């Protein structure tokens, strides 16, 4: 996927939000910088909450919020939400008020464009990017590790196992033992809409719950015994299957989790607790 296709798909995502789409297209045409990635409807996790921001420029950590008239009735709520995101990410916000006078509205958008240009100038050279570069994991390996905060995404299961030295052409399993760490499994769960499992992740992504759909106490005991006593793989490097900003299925690195036996039971299933946001890989950058 090239930059043009990525851009029009991102614009299309805002098709049901007329004010946001107008602001976005004017910013893009006035800015005229398609070397700068932008994301619409950006997900942001803050503690136990998840939020969406209207437009996000990752290169400068800037979120653009389009304030439609109803925002005037929830200024306190908006301020609290913005503060949560700023505190959690260190990112910055720029708010564009919707004004019925088209000329005044354009003036507000152009002020935003000027601010973006200023931020880009201060940021220095922006690395060239294409959508496919986002999936080039080699660009995200640092000191032999991958990091959850770098949004490491892969297209296929075999791309995941290749990070750890395997050379498969196809693999149908839901996980694979680590080649050198005997207590560790490389795991790529589907966290929603699975026919056999009700796997889920907490909002702050600190816990993953692995539960067999309609599982009994006996099912739980068997699964726990297999994990603890048979395979003895009580640590997992997790790549969760999820959709990216354009709706494509990708495997996103979440971190390293360890089995919390005390918090595991038949009601929630096996409870996996995050212990690290990084994992050592075999291939080099």
């Amino acid at each position: 996927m090239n930059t043009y296709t990525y851009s029009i798909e991102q614009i299309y995502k805002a098709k049901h939000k007329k004010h946001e789409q107008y602001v976005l297209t004017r910013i893009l045409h006035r800015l005229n910088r398609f070397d700068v990635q932008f994301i619409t409807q950006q997900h942001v996790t803050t503690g136990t909450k998840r939020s969406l921001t209207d437009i996000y420029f990752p290169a400068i950590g800037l979120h653009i919020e389009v304030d439609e008239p109803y925002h005037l009735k929830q200024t306190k709520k908006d301020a609290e939400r913005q503060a949560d995101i700023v505190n959690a990410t260190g990112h910055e916000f720029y708010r564009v008020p919707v004004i019925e006078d088209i000329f005044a509205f354009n003036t507000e958008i152009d002020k935003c464009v000027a601010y973006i240009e200023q931020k880009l100038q201060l940021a220095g050279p922006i690395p060239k990017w294409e959508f496919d570069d986002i999936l080039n994991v080699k660009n995200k390996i640092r000191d032999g590790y991958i990091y959850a905060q770098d949004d490491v995404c892969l297209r296929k299961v075999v791309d995941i196992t290749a990070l750890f030295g395997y050379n498969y052409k196809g693999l149908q399993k839901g996980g694979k033992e680590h080649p050198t760490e005997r207590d560790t499994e490389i795991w790529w769960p589907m966290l929603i809409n699975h026919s056999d499992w009700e796997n889920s992740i907490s909002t702050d992504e600190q816990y993953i719950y692995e539960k067999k759909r309609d599982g009994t106490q006996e099912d739980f005991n068997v699964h726990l015994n297999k994990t603890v006593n048979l395979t003895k793989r009580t640590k997992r490097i997790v790549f969760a299957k999820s959709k990216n900003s354009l709706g494509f299925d990708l495997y996103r690195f979440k971190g390293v989790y360890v089995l919390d036996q005390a918090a595991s039971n038949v009601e929630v299933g096996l409870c996996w607790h995050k212990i690290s946001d990084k994992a050592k890989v075999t291939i080099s950058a």
Side-chain angles (χ1 to χ4, degrees), residues 85-117:
I85 294 174
V86 171
N87 290 335
T89 65
H91 296 166
E92 189 177 355
F93 272 73
Y94 192 105
R95 309 192 79 92
V96 178
V98 174
I99 304 173
E100 289 189 6
D101 182 327
I102 190 66
F103 300 105
F105 192 20
N106 285 343
T107 297
E108 292 297 328
I109 301 171
D110 293 346
K111 289 179 182 178
C112 178
V113 172
Y115 188 73
I116 295 171
E117 290 174 333

Side-chain angles (χ1 to χ4, degrees), residues 43 47 87 93 115 129 147 201 204 250 269 271 280:
H43 285 269
N87 290 335
F93 272 73
Y115 188 73
W129 76 279
Y147 295 80
I201 189 168
D204 59 5
L250 297 174
C271 175
K280 188 173 182 60

Side-chain angles (χ1 to χ4, degrees), residues 3-280:
T3 302
Y4 170 74
T5 305
Y6 172 87
S7 298
I8 61 174
E9 290 290 345
Q10 287 287 349
I11 293 170
Y12 184 72
K13 280 175 60 182
K15 65 182 181 298
H16 296 304
K17 304 188 71 175
K18 57 186 179 182
H19 300 298
E20 179 184 321
Q21 191 173 57
Y22 182 84
V23 171
L24 172 62
T25 53
R26 184 170 179 87
I27 286 176
L28 294 179
H29 288 107
R30 298 286 289 183
L31 190 62
N32 198 28
R33 287 282 303 269
F34 285 92
D35 59 324
V36 180
Q37 184 190 11
F38 67 97
I39 302 171
T40 58
Q41 298 296 295
Q42 172 66 35
H43 285 269
V44 182
T45 300
T46 58
T48 59
K49 300 177 182 177
R50 285 182 179 175
S51 300
L52 285 175
T53 60
D54 294 333
I55 308 164
Y56 175 53
F57 289 89
I60 52 177
L62 181 65
H63 297 265
I64 311 298
E65 283 286 85
V66 180
D67 285 345
E68 301 177 40
Y70 73 86
H71 283 274
L72 295 175
K73 301 178 182 179
Q74 58 176 44
T75 54
K76 181 179 179 181
K77 181 179 178 181
D78 286 344
E80 291 174 348
R81 171 175 167 272
Q82 178 174 321
D84 284 343
I85 294 174
V86 171
N87 290 335
T89 65
H91 296 166
E92 189 177 355
F93 272 73
Y94 192 105
R95 309 192 79 92
V96 178
V98 174
I99 304 173
E100 289 189 6
D101 182 327
I102 190 66
F103 300 105
F105 192 20
N106 285 343
T107 297
E108 292 297 328
I109 301 171
D110 293 346
K111 289 179 182 178
C112 178
V113 172
Y115 188 73
I116 295 171
E117 290 174 333
Q118 179 185 4
K119 294 282 291 184
L120 289 170
Q121 186 176 6
L122 291 174
I126 303 297
K128 182 180 180 298
W129 76 279
E130 292 280 351
F131 177 75
D132 286 340
D133 291 337
I134 300 172
L135 302 179
N136 187 347
V137 178
K138 287 189 175 183
N139 293 340
K140 299 180 180 180
I141 296 174
R142 295 185 278 128
D143 301 322
Y145 288 85
I146 54 173
Y147 295 80
Q149 60 264 36
D150 290 340
D151 197 28
V152 177
C153 298
L154 300 106
R155 291 184 188 272
K156 302 176 182 178
V157 167
V158 293
D159 298 329
I160 297 173
T161 54
L163 285 175
F164 303 92
Y166 289 108
N167 186 26
Y168 292 109
K169 292 184 178 180
L171 194 62
Q172 299 298 321
K173 295 181 178 180
K176 179 67 179 175
E177 67 272 12
H178 194 284
T180 59
E181 299 176 15
R182 298 307 177 191
D183 65 340
T184 303
E185 180 169 293
I186 308 160
W187 191 37
W188 44 90
M190 182 184 295
L191 297 180
I192 56 172
N193 299 327
H194 192 283
S195 59
D196 298 321
W197 295 89
E198 295 182 30
N199 299 333
S200 62
I201 189 168
S202 63
T203 306
D204 59 5
E205 301 192 347
Q206 292 302 303
Y207 296 91
I208 292 177
Y209 300 97
E210 182 190 13
K211 179 185 177 183
K212 187 174 182 180
R213 188 177 294 278
D214 300 321
T216 63
Q217 182 68 55
E218 182 180 357
D219 292 326
F220 169 77
N221 293 340
V222 169
H223 189 37
L224 179 63
N225 180 64
K226 179 181 179 181
T227 303
V228 175
N229 299 316
L230 297 182
T231 67
K232 302 185 187 304
R233 293 195 290 269
T234 56
K235 190 165 63 175
R236 288 183 173 179
I237 302 172
V238 178
F239 294 80
K241 188 174 182 179
S242 59
K243 293 185 182 296
N244 72 344
S245 62
L246 294 179
F248 299 137
D249 285 333
L250 297 174
Y251 294 92
R252 178 173 279 104
F253 174 60
K254 294 294 185 181
V256 181
Y257 293 72
V258 67
L259 179 64
D260 185 341
Q261 293 191 56
S264 300
N265 57 62
V266 68
E267 297 299 325
V268 301
L270 298 190
C271 175
W272 300 87
H273 179 212
K274 183 185 283 193
I275 57 171
S276 178
D277 281 316
K278 68 177 184 179
K280 188 173 182 60

